[in-house]
Amino acid sequence: MSFVAKFDSGTCPKCRAPIVAGERIETFSVGRINRYEHVLCPKTADVTCSICGGRWVECDCP
């Protein structure tokens, strides 16, 4: 489930960039702890797939 962050929420575990208010984030649980990560990480958004040449985050290549 994704939503817009109302407050700064630490750092994203996927890209290690800070999560700031206004960004789209999603939550996941690690045991009893809720964590937050970017829906689309800013550092990985422009990475291209070496197989198809498309955007890596949208690619279905293995």
Side-chain angles (χ1 to χ4, degrees):
M1 182 170 118
S2 66
F3 55 95
V4 176
K6 291 184 181 180
F7 307 102
D8 294 346
S9 303
T11 58
C12 176
K14 290 192 291 189
C15 67
R16 303 286 186 224
I19 296 173
V20 295
E23 291 181 321
R24 298 232 19 108
I25 59 172
E26 57 189 2
T27 183
F28 66 97
S29 296
V30 177
R32 295 182 182 178
I33 301 170
N34 287 332
R35 307 247 181 201
Y36 303 100
E37 62 185 27
H38 293 111
V39 171
L40 182 61
C41 292
K43 290 186 178 179
T44 60
D46 295 328
V47 175
T48 58
C49 174
S50 61
I51 298 171
C52 69
R55 291 178 59 194
W56 179 75
V57 293
E58 298 170 349
C59 169
D60 290 333
C61 294

